[in-house]
Amino acid sequence: MKQWHRIVLSAVILFTTGLSQAFATTVDVYVQCVYTDDTLTAKIYADIEPSALGPLVSAGVKLAYPADKLSSPSAANNEEDWYLGPQQPLYPYPVPDAAASGQVVFFLGKVDSGNPLAGVHGEGILLGSVAFARIPGQGNPAQEDFAIADGKPSPFVDFATVEGHALDDSVSFFILPPISSDCFYLTNVVAILQVLVGTPPDWQFQPPDLDRDNNGVVEMADAVHLLRKTANPDYVLP
């Protein structure tokens, strides 16, 4: 091959690689654990920034947890954002697999029969959650007690876009430090106040946790609910 052919070919490869990176759908998956004296709830979220490759049509994650500290996992998918068929009624959806001690596996998809190319995208998208009972005498949970990864290894595709692109190799996973419920509620009160004055919070938060009365608006009433819960653990949040 002539030298100038090599130069042109190299330039094309670099250009197309740059395009694929520039237009790649980015997905960050993270876990937030909130605990009380007796329980721990782990919620798995994703920040999904779509591109020319399209939003997600599927997601699969495996949450590893310390079986010596936590027991009785009760897991659920987020079927509000991830569903199959028309929104009402939904087709049967596979429940998370918590049969193996120390792990819970989630597989999710969205195929809206009314809009098959809609997919899922946005910040703080809930994938699923797990509620545990804490085993007495084992101490508070730590960040390193948990791990999050693809639901199944290659060649199985966990993360795919509506355009048919597999993203497993480019998904980022991380665990946020576990926090007590009181700290969690107060942190979200501060986040609500920042939202109300037009200053974005300087930490990651999830809109569903801020909109406590689920009316689609983050407002002072939501902060009041959280403050009442902090003052009285028996107060039932909306």
Side-chain angles (χ1 to χ4, degrees):
M1 181 183 292
K2 293 182 180 179
Q3 184 64 26
W4 70 272
H5 282 165
R6 294 194 184 97
I7 294 173
V8 171
L9 180 59
S10 297
V12 169
I13 292 174
L14 289 172
F15 178 72
T16 55
T17 300
L19 280 179
S20 65
Q21 293 174 346
F23 288 99
T25 297
T26 60
V27 182
D28 294 326
V29 177
Y30 49 98
V31 181
Q32 177 68 76
C33 297
V34 179
Y35 61 88
T36 68
D37 290 341
D38 303 313
T39 65
L40 180 142
T41 299
K43 292 187 176 183
I44 306 171
Y45 297 94
D47 292 342
I48 307 162
E49 183 179 342
S51 66
L53 301 184
L56 289 188
V57 71
S58 69
V61 296
K62 179 191 296 183
L63 174 68
Y65 66 89
D68 59 333
K69 293 184 178 181
L70 303 172
S71 66
S72 308
S74 176
N77 293 316
N78 168 22
E79 295 189 11
E80 182 176 344
D81 294 308
W82 306 86
Y83 56 87
L84 307 175
Q87 286 187 293
Q88 294 296 332
L90 298 175
Y91 291 121
Y93 205 85
V95 298
D97 182 3
S101 178
Q103 68 177 41
V104 181
V105 182
F106 297 79
F107 290 110
L108 306 109
K110 178 177 180 179
V111 180
D112 188 330
S113 58
N115 188 1
L117 296 181
V120 181
H121 64 90
E123 293 188 359
I125 300 296
L126 181 66
L127 303 186
S129 61
V130 194
F132 299 94
R134 293 183 61 186
I135 298 175
Q138 296 302 311
N140 288 335
Q143 189 173 8
E144 58 269 20
D145 289 334
F146 301 87
I148 187 77
D150 288 331
K152 284 187 178 181
S154 178
F156 186 89
V157 175
D158 293 286
F159 294 86
T161 73
V162 295
E163 300 292 339
H165 299 277
L167 302 180
D168 289 12
D169 292 338
S170 59
V171 177
S172 299
F173 297 96
F174 56 96
I175 306 290
L176 298 176
I179 57 178
S180 69
S181 58
D182 287 347
C183 179
F184 177 73
Y185 298 143
L186 290 175
T187 297
N188 281 351
V189 168
V190 174
I192 290 171
L193 296 178
Q194 288 186 301
V195 169
L196 293 179
V197 300
T199 304
D202 54 2
W203 62 83
Q204 286 184 317
F205 69 95
Q206 290 73 45
D209 292 321
L210 300 187
D211 183 15
R212 296 308 314 188
D213 51 17
N214 197 33
N215 65 353
V217 180
V218 175
E219 54 193 352
M220 185 59 71
D222 299 308
V224 172
H225 286 304
L226 295 173
L227 288 172
R228 292 182 67 182
K229 180 66 174 179
T230 302
N232 178 15
D234 294 329
Y235 177 72
V236 179
L237 286 167

